[in-house]
Amino acid sequence: MQSHHLRRLLVTEPSLRHTASATAVGRVAHAARLRSVVARLARVEHAPLLVTETRASVRDGLHRERLVLDSPLRGPFPGTLLAPPGVTRGPAVLVLGGRNARLDQLTGDVPPDHPDRNVAEHLARAGFVTLSFDHGIGGGLDEERRAGRDEGTLLAHAFALTGRSLLGALVGDALGALDVLAAHPLVDPGRLGLFGHSLGAAVALHAALLAPREALPLCAASHLGSYQALYARLLTGHEGAALPGILEYADLADLYSALAPAPLQLQYGTADAHLEPADARAAADTVRAAFAAAGAPVEIHELAMGHGTHVGHAANFFARSLAGDAVTACDVPAQRIRFEVSERRAVLDRVDAALASGVLTQGPQVARFEELARTWTGTETVAVASGSAALEIALRIVGVAGRTVLVPVNTFFATAASAVRAGAAVRFVDIEPDGLGMDPDALRAALDRHPDTAVVLPVHIGGIVSPALHAVLAHCHERGVPVVEDAAHAFGATLDGRPAGSFGRFGAFSFFPTKVAVSGDGGLLSAALPDDLEQVRRWRDHGKSAQGSTLRDRPGGNWRLSELHAAVGTVDLERFANTLAARRERAGRYDALLADVPGIRPHAVPDGSDSNFYKYLAHLVPDGALDRTPLKKRLRERHGVSLAGEVYDHLLCDHPYFTRSGRPGRADGPFERARRFARHHIALPLYPSLTEAEQLRVVAALRSELP
Ligand SMILES: *Cc1c(COP(=O)(O)O)cnc(C)c1O
């Protein structure tokens, strides 16, 4: 009866399997989707392991360090690092033993009960630094009260109650141990591998799927087959070896397949009582096919062994995959948008609430988004569909049709295009070099030239609200011209303690993914006057003549923000204080690191202005010494460092749209200061998840490529 239930339960066809695509792009997307499912189910929070104790010795020619590792989730547990004699910055393998493996046997500190139990010692003798630790899932609970029940199972149940999993906890520790290994002075952090046997192979597989390093080589022994065979037919599956919920998405072979094209070796024995040879063979075929489709090699050894490891094959695999030029450290991308698992769950809960209620747009999530945003804008806000919608609505409310709007010549196309869509003629103004804002003198000249100016539209470039804004506001005030701030870069930035967006009649913000706060797509208008805010609400909703009315009195649009976007936006705004602090801290670190690097000068944020560091800007000096495009290419190709996009590489007056006849082009030019800035600045990668090691790498790369 029970076996019948078990079999029926486990016949679920993994849903993601069928969406696996034959195209390369499809495969990559599929693997990424599977990794994100694994991350969500494993719920590993990124929290480093602390090494609280180290005792070093040399025995039998191996350097040995006994460590105490402190895990935030599971507390302290012992680990052992082994190193071959004389190694400096050598390749290293994290060795994860099976469920009943004992640390002192893995490392050869006591004689192993099987000749392949001391894998860590074998690999150390083969030339690899190894780190192993005790899983700590047995041997602590009161035997009498356990009444014969398994400790691992009891632990797994407790984890399940908290929405976490035992496997997730083990994987979290393995990822922490990888960081410990990478930071060890004897280890080359670019050459790391993972070995796992049985339960340890399950941990290693999931760690490989979740490790931020690219293409981590994995050798997995005695852990292959279908979940159905392991859990229903053989009853050898262990609760610490699979993620609760995984079968809805993937079987074991799909998880190995998602590692392609990373180096992979699988070993299984035909005399292993924990698996069925035919079932393991079928899983092996699935993995082989996936690697073949990705054009990548995979090593699969079917061996005449029991539930063991062929240590020779493992050592050879790592010798090949961690050879001198292997690099597993990841590149530093221009941009990284990261939501931790708990934040992703919060988004999903809110999306779920929206779907359950049927309110999919302009409901409670949007209201909450507007409320959270208020903390950073200083005035009331109304959410809209995008930053450009925000600009267009503000300009339509002020009324610019048939008149001139003055825009800085150095800004994103959307600033000017929104004015064009609102019916205005756009004219350009040069910038001032300190705060990168509109130059007040150039503005005054432009106002003289264009007495029909309806709006002045300053932009806070890179997240800096320029102190020159005060003079800009004064000129506009004198002539009675309203100011709309394009604060798309500047959410959370301030000038003299006042938030960006609170200086003009309107402040327009964007929550596009590249900006400092994101909602997928989204925008926001801040304004002090209640009537202005009310007008925004009508424009964004097809020009309603009044709340609740079906009559329309203006050509409004669909400029609403959906509840689903607001679900993302609210989660991002709830963490925004941390985002801002993290950006500022990283900017400060770049300032210090770059102080003695010749050929580059960080852009100094003027006194009184508190940037959100949407961009970390620096000038290549002296002007013209170096061409930016080849520099960026060398940084990327030789050092794996991608710079962020400039703000901006082309002036607006040079875009084909504006150089066409009848458009302003360079008419109010020559815009020398903006042109000099556009040509000679770069933007370094800066985001909250950028690590100190990555910043060091960026600066080292610059140092070696600058003249
Ligand atoms: C991003 C951006 C916009 C437009 O925002 P969207 O949300 O993409 O419409 C407008 N102005 C500037 C300066 C921007 O950087």
Side-chain angles (χ1 to χ4, degrees), residues 126-141:
F128 304 97
V129 179
T130 66
L131 177 63
S132 350
F133 60 84
D134 197 321
H135 291 307
I137 53 176
L141 299 181

mmCIF file of all heavy atoms in Angstrom, residues 126-141:
data_model
loop_
_atom_site.group_PDB
_atom_site.id
_atom_site.type_symbol
_atom_site.label_atom_id
_atom_site.label_comp_id
_atom_site.label_asym_id
_atom_site.label_seq_id
_atom_site.Cartn_x
_atom_site.Cartn_y
_atom_site.Cartn_z
ATOM 1 N N ALA A 126 48.088 14.152 -4.651
ATOM 2 C CA ALA A 126 48.137 14.341 -6.111
ATOM 3 C C ALA A 126 48.402 15.807 -6.473
ATOM 4 O O ALA A 126 48.388 16.160 -7.652
ATOM 5 C CB ALA A 126 46.828 13.865 -6.740
ATOM 6 N N GLY A 127 48.603 16.666 -5.473
ATOM 7 C CA GLY A 127 49.021 18.041 -5.787
ATOM 8 C C GLY A 127 47.978 19.114 -5.532
ATOM 9 O O GLY A 127 48.188 20.268 -5.898
ATOM 10 N N PHE A 128 46.843 18.768 -4.906
ATOM 11 C CA PHE A 128 45.790 19.770 -4.696
ATOM 12 C C PHE A 128 45.665 20.150 -3.227
ATOM 13 O O PHE A 128 45.769 19.283 -2.356
ATOM 14 C CB PHE A 128 44.437 19.233 -5.173
ATOM 15 C CG PHE A 128 44.458 18.794 -6.603
ATOM 16 C CD1 PHE A 128 44.642 17.460 -6.938
ATOM 17 C CD2 PHE A 128 44.349 19.728 -7.624
ATOM 18 C CE1 PHE A 128 44.701 17.054 -8.254
ATOM 19 C CE2 PHE A 128 44.412 19.332 -8.949
ATOM 20 C CZ PHE A 128 44.588 17.991 -9.269
ATOM 21 N N VAL A 129 45.450 21.420 -2.975
ATOM 22 C CA VAL A 129 45.047 21.825 -1.630
ATOM 23 C C VAL A 129 43.607 21.335 -1.475
ATOM 24 O O VAL A 129 42.809 21.463 -2.413
ATOM 25 C CB VAL A 129 45.094 23.361 -1.475
ATOM 26 C CG1 VAL A 129 44.651 23.773 -0.076
ATOM 27 C CG2 VAL A 129 46.496 23.884 -1.775
ATOM 28 N N THR A 130 43.276 20.736 -0.339
ATOM 29 C CA THR A 130 41.890 20.290 -0.155
ATOM 30 C C THR A 130 41.337 20.855 1.144
ATOM 31 O O THR A 130 42.076 21.110 2.086
ATOM 32 C CB THR A 130 41.782 18.745 -0.076
ATOM 33 O OG1 THR A 130 42.431 18.296 1.115
ATOM 34 C CG2 THR A 130 42.391 18.075 -1.290
ATOM 35 N N LEU A 131 40.039 21.050 1.141
ATOM 36 C CA LEU A 131 39.356 21.419 2.373
ATOM 37 C C LEU A 131 38.170 20.479 2.525
ATOM 38 O O LEU A 131 37.430 20.256 1.554
ATOM 39 C CB LEU A 131 38.877 22.882 2.317
ATOM 40 C CG LEU A 131 38.064 23.376 3.533
ATOM 41 C CD1 LEU A 131 38.897 23.342 4.811
ATOM 42 C CD2 LEU A 131 37.554 24.804 3.300
ATOM 43 N N SER A 132 38.032 19.881 3.706
ATOM 44 C CA SER A 132 36.867 19.029 3.974
ATOM 45 C C SER A 132 36.288 19.444 5.309
ATOM 46 O O SER A 132 36.987 20.005 6.147
ATOM 47 C CB SER A 132 37.227 17.549 4.046
ATOM 48 O OG SER A 132 38.526 17.312 3.617
ATOM 49 N N PHE A 133 35.013 19.183 5.464
ATOM 50 C CA PHE A 133 34.416 19.485 6.762
ATOM 51 C C PHE A 133 33.395 18.432 7.123
ATOM 52 O O PHE A 133 32.984 17.615 6.295
ATOM 53 C CB PHE A 133 33.816 20.892 6.800
ATOM 54 C CG PHE A 133 32.719 21.150 5.805
ATOM 55 C CD1 PHE A 133 31.409 20.796 6.089
ATOM 56 C CD2 PHE A 133 33.002 21.773 4.598
ATOM 57 C CE1 PHE A 133 30.395 21.043 5.178
ATOM 58 C CE2 PHE A 133 31.985 22.026 3.684
ATOM 59 C CZ PHE A 133 30.689 21.662 3.970
ATOM 60 N N ASP A 134 33.011 18.454 8.368
ATOM 61 C CA ASP A 134 32.066 17.486 8.891
ATOM 62 C C ASP A 134 30.651 17.997 8.609
ATOM 63 O O ASP A 134 30.331 19.130 8.951
ATOM 64 C CB ASP A 134 32.316 17.393 10.406
ATOM 65 C CG ASP A 134 31.700 16.151 10.984
ATOM 66 O OD1 ASP A 134 30.585 15.799 10.545
ATOM 67 O OD2 ASP A 134 32.332 15.544 11.871
ATOM 68 N N HIS A 135 29.808 17.176 7.976
ATOM 69 C CA HIS A 135 28.432 17.616 7.713
ATOM 70 C C HIS A 135 27.668 17.886 9.009
ATOM 71 O O HIS A 135 26.709 18.650 9.032
ATOM 72 C CB HIS A 135 27.651 16.562 6.923
ATOM 73 C CG HIS A 135 28.133 16.402 5.519
ATOM 74 N ND1 HIS A 135 28.260 17.459 4.661
ATOM 75 C CD2 HIS A 135 28.510 15.305 4.822
ATOM 76 C CE1 HIS A 135 28.700 17.021 3.492
ATOM 77 N NE2 HIS A 135 28.867 15.715 3.564
ATOM 78 N N GLY A 136 28.051 17.196 10.079
ATOM 79 C CA GLY A 136 27.429 17.439 11.382
ATOM 80 C C GLY A 136 25.951 17.093 11.424
ATOM 81 O O GLY A 136 25.148 17.814 12.002
ATOM 82 N N ILE A 137 25.559 15.978 10.775
ATOM 83 C CA ILE A 137 24.135 15.624 10.818
ATOM 84 C C ILE A 137 23.909 14.325 11.584
ATOM 85 O O ILE A 137 22.864 13.711 11.475
ATOM 86 C CB ILE A 137 23.519 15.524 9.406
ATOM 87 C CG1 ILE A 137 24.352 14.586 8.533
ATOM 88 C CG2 ILE A 137 23.409 16.886 8.767
ATOM 89 C CD1 ILE A 137 23.743 14.377 7.163
ATOM 90 N N GLY A 138 24.881 13.944 12.384
ATOM 91 C CA GLY A 138 24.680 12.739 13.190
ATOM 92 C C GLY A 138 25.480 12.841 14.480
ATOM 93 O O GLY A 138 26.470 13.562 14.549
ATOM 94 N N GLY A 139 24.998 12.148 15.498
ATOM 95 C CA GLY A 139 25.810 12.021 16.696
ATOM 96 C C GLY A 139 25.623 13.093 17.739
ATOM 97 O O GLY A 139 26.510 13.328 18.542
ATOM 98 N N GLY A 140 24.484 13.779 17.764
ATOM 99 C CA GLY A 140 24.305 14.810 18.775
ATOM 100 C C GLY A 140 23.034 14.665 19.601
ATOM 101 O O GLY A 140 22.925 15.227 20.689
ATOM 102 N N LEU A 141 22.060 13.902 19.089
ATOM 103 C CA LEU A 141 20.756 13.873 19.757
ATOM 104 C C LEU A 141 20.646 12.699 20.741
ATOM 105 O O LEU A 141 21.236 11.644 20.538
ATOM 106 C CB LEU A 141 19.636 13.783 18.717
ATOM 107 C CG LEU A 141 19.548 14.943 17.716
ATOM 108 C CD1 LEU A 141 18.372 14.720 16.771
ATOM 109 C CD2 LEU A 141 19.405 16.275 18.441
#
